[in-house]
Amino acid sequence: MGSPRPHPPREAERRATLAVVTAGLGEPSTSRLLADRLAYAARDQLAARGRPADVHVVELRELAGAIADHMVTGFPPARLRDALAEVATVDALIAVTPVFAASYSGLFKSFFDLLEPDALRGTPVLMAATGGTARHSLALEHAVRPLFGYLRAPTVPTAVFAAPEDWGGGDRHTGELAARVERAAGELADMAAGTRGRAAAAPPATGTEAPLDVVPFAEQLAALSVRN
């Protein structure tokens, strides 16, 4: 009698995959520094939930030329193609952008423009940004969160913004940043720990859904005129 077939690993035993996309332009950059802090915290939080994680960093600065070529020609170089494929298959994503002109950077937006429309569907995302002043922190809410909403990627409630004073402004500022990092990482880990893959997070349409009961607009107007 042959040996028994091995069972596939249970979800709790499968290692999670975490991608970190950072769009800083300097070397080093504060965006990369923030991305690393978030990655370490998220990895630890996932491990505490029984989901040890493999972390992969995508440094967009190194792919800037390839991104521009792909946008013009429609053909991604191999390194960019691998990065896009990797981001599309992870269990969770950390996305960090510098803020320019009250919004995400062009490099950051260009990379996500190149993903397939459903590539991030159901993938939990932790958003973060850096900027020259804390007044730019709202860019996460009015620009970055809507971007991932359009891509149908759920975002964790806590977005992390780091201003210059968060890096060297005394214990109060650095402590506040650390608290935000841990809170956001915990939220991401909570979402990712229950991930069963893209198919479970966003099941395909079966074609058997019940049709919507839509009242014709003319009937709505008629009813409104009677009430008035």
Side-chain angles (χ1 to χ4, degrees):
M1 187 172 67
S3 60
R5 297 175 60 186
H7 294 288
R10 295 192 301 270
E11 186 66 23
E13 298 172 345
R14 185 175 66 83
R15 293 185 68 86
T17 53
L18 172 64
V20 182
V21 175
T22 174
L25 299 182
E27 191 178 11
S29 69
T30 54
S31 294
R32 177 60 189 268
L33 293 174
L34 180 58
D36 287 344
R37 292 189 64 172
L38 291 166
Y40 294 143
R43 184 189 61 188
D44 291 346
Q45 295 272 9
L46 280 164
R49 289 158 176 76
R51 290 295 304 277
D54 295 319
V55 179
H56 307 278
V57 177
V58 179
E59 185 73 70
L60 297 187
R61 178 180 181 275
E62 300 172 356
L63 298 172
I67 291 171
D69 288 343
H70 184 16
M71 296 193 77
V72 173
T73 66
F75 297 99
R79 190 177 179 189
L80 175 59
R81 183 173 62 247
D82 292 343
L84 292 168
E86 184 173 71
V87 169
T89 57
V90 294
D91 294 309
L93 174 66
I94 295 172
V96 186
T97 179
V99 174
F100 298 137
S103 188
Y104 37 62
S105 72
L107 181 60
F108 182 86
K109 180 62 161 58
S110 296
F111 178 79
F112 288 102
D113 282 346
L114 296 177
L115 287 170
E116 293 296 326
D118 286 333
L120 293 181
R121 183 173 180 175
T123 302
V125 178
L126 192 169
M127 311 175 303
T130 59
T133 170
R135 292 193 297 272
H136 290 316
S137 60
L138 287 178
L140 283 163
E141 301 300 331
H142 72 67
V144 183
R145 199 179 297 276
L147 168 64
F148 288 111
Y150 176 81
L151 295 172
R152 287 171 282 187
T155 50
V156 305
T158 301
V160 180
F161 183 88
E165 58 267 25
D166 290 311
W167 302 108
D171 292 341
R172 182 176 70 84
H173 290 289
T174 56
E176 289 174 354
L177 176 60
R180 293 196 301 272
V181 166
E182 289 299 324
R183 183 168 64 248
E187 293 167 355
L188 184 68
D190 284 339
M191 296 176 71
T195 299
R196 289 184 171 273
R198 204 61 40 80
T206 62
T208 60
E209 293 83 358
L212 294 176
D213 185 12
V214 179
V215 178
F217 186 59
E219 293 183 17
Q220 296 181 44
L221 287 177
L224 182 63
S225 63
V226 169
R227 286 198 299 270
N228 290 342

